[in-house]
Amino acid sequence: MHPAPSALRRAVAAATIALLATAVGCAPQPADKASGSSSSSAGTTCAKGKLATQTSGRLTIATDEPAYEPWFKDDKPANGEGFESAVAYAVAKQLGYDKSAVVWQSVPFNKAFAPGVKTFDFDINQVSISTERKKAVDFSSGYYDVRQAVIALKGSKAAKATSIAGLKGLKLGAQVGTTSLNYISDVVKPSQEAAAYSKNDQAVSALRNGQVDAIVVDLPTAFYITSAQVTDAGIVGQFENQGGTPEQFGLVLDKGSALTSCVSSAVDALRKDGTLAALEKQWLSDAVDAPVLK
């Protein structure tokens, strides 16, 4: 017995629908459809002033205390003076947050890039970008290319060093957790164990009091220390960058932060339009060439 015409039509229609459903399920989807909501959310992730920040409508920026010159001025990160304070506000503006929407938070240097959930949106505190640190936190694009320098009291044996070999027999010091300390152990490789200090001002005091022969800090900080903190000290020289890649400071963010790409884009824009170069010239103009230690 043949099916009735109406029953046959229904069977054919059902089979056709099933075949279409299968074909649609197996066919490649257009890029805008396959990505679903993620594609539209990606477009709004960096919407100015509407980022997924710690506090809605606010941008929380962290740095250490005290906040040293020339990176900050008068130990007041919120005043917009000093290179890093100025960079922080420039990044905030690029992200759509004016000065009144920025909240500052005090976070110790080592804690900023230690594993664990962060209470800030980004930290700015002369933190060098490194593969090891990237295991625990995210970094923005670099906002400053930096070199490390050696400071010693004028007239001392350390002050007369003209090469890395001349530093090997000295007692050297630096802040713990810094690339400055790494340069002592990895580049100088001194015969004496380096002294590690929890704060830069402790290293400066040790130099002033003769507890170390010399200390290692980044070059702009070296110029500030020798001009304002220990005026009877001088810059012995600076190290070449290791491995051919310049050491860079980057903004620190929580590992996997949704803000990382937005903050990096902001830094990139400030580099491209000349803002970073102008701020560097304004606040770090004293950090000119120093003898290179080889």
Side-chain angles (χ1 to χ4, degrees), residues 16-103:
T16 302
I17 291 170
L19 285 170
L20 286 172
T22 302
V24 169
C26 297
Q29 299 298 295
D32 58 340
K33 303 273 187 181
S35 58
S37 60
S38 62
S39 118
S40 59
S41 64
T44 59
T45 298
C46 297
K48 290 187 178 295
K50 297 181 180 179
L51 305 184
T53 54
Q54 294 283 335
T55 303
S56 181
R58 301 273 180 179
L59 190 66
T60 303
I61 305 175
T63 197
D64 201 356
E65 185 181 3
Y68 298 103
E69 297 191 28
W71 310 105
F72 299 91
K73 185 81 170 172
D74 301 326
D75 192 20
K76 296 177 180 178
N79 64 14
E81 299 185 48
F83 180 71
E84 289 193 327
S85 180
V87 167
Y89 281 118
V91 171
K93 183 178 180 180
Q94 194 73 27
L95 294 173
Y97 297 88
D98 60 27
K99 196 170 182 178
S100 64
V102 172
V103 178

Side-chain angles (χ1 to χ4, degrees), residues 194-214:
Y197 302 95
S198 60
K199 297 278 188 180
N200 239 355
D201 55 357
Q202 293 174 350
V204 171
S205 294
L207 176 66
R208 186 187 290 117
N209 298 331
Q211 295 169 304
V212 292
D213 297 310

Side-chain angles (χ1 to χ4, degrees), residues 83 143-145 275-286:
F83 180 71
Y143 62 88
Y144 180 68
D145 298 352
T275 298
L276 291 181
L279 293 177
E280 183 176 332
K281 183 177 180 180
Q282 179 181 358
W283 296 107
L284 305 179
S285 58
D286 287 340

Side-chain angles (χ1 to χ4, degrees), residues 87-201:
V87 167
Y89 281 118
V91 171
K93 183 178 180 180
Q94 194 73 27
L95 294 173
Y97 297 88
D98 60 27
K99 196 170 182 178
S100 64
V102 172
V103 178
W104 284 91
Q105 187 180 100
S106 175
V107 173
F109 179 81
N110 281 340
K111 190 176 180 181
F113 51 85
V117 177
K118 307 307 176 191
T119 56
F120 52 77
D121 293 312
F122 68 76
D123 177 278
I124 183 167
N125 189 27
Q126 306 112 66
V127 182
S128 295
I129 301 169
S130 73
T131 301
E132 186 63 28
R133 288 172 179 171
K134 282 183 177 180
K135 294 176 183 178
V137 294
D138 282 358
F139 280 97
S140 71
S141 302
Y143 62 88
Y144 180 68
D145 298 352
V146 65
R147 284 192 175 190
Q148 299 298 318
V150 180
I151 302 174
L153 296 178
K154 295 174 182 176
S156 67
K157 179 182 177 181
K160 299 172 184 176
T162 58
S163 66
I164 292 174
L167 302 172
K168 289 186 181 293
L170 304 177
K171 182 68 174 180
L172 305 175
Q175 184 176 350
V176 69
T178 61
T179 51
S180 302
L181 190 59
N182 291 342
Y183 265 75
I184 295 175
S185 59
D186 299 341
V187 178
V188 179
K189 300 177 182 177
S191 55
Q192 303 180 57
E193 185 179 355
Y197 302 95
S198 60
K199 297 278 188 180
N200 239 355
D201 55 357

